[in-house]
Every structure is written in C-alpha cells, then in structure tokens.
Amino acid sequence: MNTRLTAMAFAFSTALGGLSVQAQTTQGAQPAAGTQATQPGTSTQAAQPAANPQGQSQLTQEDANFLENAIQGSHAEVEGSQLALEKTSSQDVKDFAQMMIKDHQMMAKEASSLAQEKGMTPPDGPSAMQVTEITALKALSGGAFDAMYVNRIGVASHEATVNMFDKASKGAQDPDVKALATKALPKLKEHLEMARALNEKQEK
C-alpha cells in the first residue's frame, strides 16, 4: 500500500472507526461490527427489550443490544459487499463480496426472526455510522476502493463482530441469543481470516 493510500486509510479509519467501539456496546450504551460492522440505518437509540405477544420474559438490555448490533452489522456487510460487486475489477474481491452477501443475508434473517420472537422490532438496515462509512466507500474507485473495502468491511468490522459474538456466546442471558451467537461465530471467524489474507495479498 503506497504512502498516499496509507494516509487515506488512516484518516478514514480515524474518522469512521466507531465501528469497533459500536460493536462492543455495553449494557445501557447506545448500539454500534464486523464485521465490526456499525447498525438501524438512521437510528441512534438502543433497541428496547419487550415482552413478545406470547408473554415470554423480556431480554436483558445487553442481549437486546447484541441482537440489534448483529442485525445492523450484517446489513452493513451486505450493502458494502453489493457496492464492491459494482465497483471492483478484482476477482478475489468479487469472490469475497459474494460470500459476504450470501452469509450475512442469512445471518440477518436468522437474527431478525429471533428478535421478533423476543418482542423486538429488528432494524432493517445499517446504523447511521455504518451508512456514513458505506457512503464514503462510494467515493472511492479502483485499488483505493478495494483496499478500503477489504480493510474496513472485511477486516476491521469482522474483528469487532467476532469479539461481540464471542462475548455473547459466553455471556448472553437468553439461551436462544447465546445459541445464535455460538452458531454464527465459526463462520464469522472464517470471514475474518479470509479478509486478513486478502488484505495481505493486496498490500504486496
């Protein structure tokens, strides 16, 4: 990666790097990952846990935040990867983006269904911060786009998302939320390793 692109990446990461912070939302904090990554399209409010029509117990705020972040993160991965299919000329990037779309569409569907079962209204798009990041990607083209897509949507977001899902797989209070996190974690780790390998290949 040349000096100009490195500087661009640093500035981009500094300005929009709330992804990983967002993905590691703690109880009572506003939701943010990637992976990590960031999550509803214009909402800045945490999802409110609520009893569902069957009267099941409410989710804790932390479990509700996790579900919201997970859904928004998958929407961000899908939108960013759809953009990559439009803009990249790299077959490696296209292959990675196609996998992200397929896997994260399924993850968003499963997490949204669970959220509805638990009485939540699932977000239908990325968070405001993720929308900003995707919008910034739209301004790039060629190698600069590929490098930023792989670095941000691929590596950085998945680092945050893996951490978030790992935490939920061990500490979620709701057993269904814990099971969802545990099921998705191996695939997310696979995404991260693929993104890191692709990132290293681009930098050579």
Side-chain angles (χ1 to χ4, degrees), residues 79-100:
E79 291 191 14
S81 297
Q82 288 172 334
L83 183 62
L85 290 182
E86 296 173 9
K87 295 175 82 66
T88 188
S89 59
S90 166
Q91 189 59 50
D92 288 339
V93 174
K94 286 182 180 179
D95 291 343
F96 178 76
Q98 287 170 340
M99 176 174 285
M100 294 306 99

Side-chain angles (χ1 to χ4, degrees), residues 113-152:
S113 294
L114 179 58
Q116 290 176 325
E117 290 175 11
K118 301 300 179 180
M120 293 172 55
T121 299
D124 58 3
S127 70
M129 183 172 289
Q130 288 171 330
V131 169
T132 299
E133 186 159 3
I134 293 168
T135 299
L137 277 172
K138 291 179 180 179
L140 302 177
S141 61
F145 172 87
D146 289 352
M148 202 61 65
Y149 166 73
V150 173
N151 183 268
R152 297 299 302 161

Side-chain angles (χ1 to χ4, degrees), residues 14 20 62 65 114 147 164 200:
T14 300
S20 59
E62 189 169 359
N65 286 343
L114 179 58
M164 182 177 72
E200 290 178 3

Side-chain angles (χ1 to χ4, degrees), residues 35-198:
T35 208
Q36 91 244 40
T38 31
Q39 299 169 345
T42 57
S43 173
T44 57
Q45 297 298 319
Q48 296 300 315
N52 67 18
Q54 286 72 41
Q56 294 179 358
S57 60
Q58 296 182 349
L59 293 174
T60 64
Q61 187 68 55
E62 189 169 359
D63 285 359
N65 286 343
F66 165 75
L67 275 183
E68 183 175 39
N69 290 342
I71 296 165
Q72 290 174 328
S74 280
H75 282 306
E77 290 288 342
V78 170
E79 291 191 14
S81 297
Q82 288 172 334
L83 183 62
L85 290 182
E86 296 173 9
K87 295 175 82 66
T88 188
S89 59
S90 166
Q91 189 59 50
D92 288 339
V93 174
K94 286 182 180 179
D95 291 343
F96 178 76
Q98 287 170 340
M99 176 174 285
M100 294 306 99
I101 292 169
K102 176 178 177 291
D103 290 347
H104 282 281
Q105 281 179 336
M106 180 61 67
M107 290 179 186
K109 180 179 179 180
E110 291 178 352
S112 294
S113 294
L114 179 58
Q116 290 176 325
E117 290 175 11
K118 301 300 179 180
M120 293 172 55
T121 299
D124 58 3
S127 70
M129 183 172 289
Q130 288 171 330
V131 169
T132 299
E133 186 159 3
I134 293 168
T135 299
L137 277 172
K138 291 179 180 179
L140 302 177
S141 61
F145 172 87
D146 289 352
M148 202 61 65
Y149 166 73
V150 173
N151 183 268
R152 297 299 302 161
I153 303 298
V155 178
S157 66
H158 280 93
E159 286 177 341
T161 301
V162 165
N163 287 337
M164 182 177 72
F165 272 69
D166 182 62
K167 180 180 178 181
S169 72
K170 298 172 182 175
Q173 297 300 304
D174 185 274
D176 294 327
V177 173
K178 180 178 287 189
L180 180 141
T182 301
K183 175 185 176 182
L185 191 55
K187 179 62 69 174
L188 291 169
K189 288 181 177 179
E190 179 184 343
H191 291 174
L192 177 56
E193 291 308 308
M194 292 178 64
R196 285 172 172 167
L198 185 55

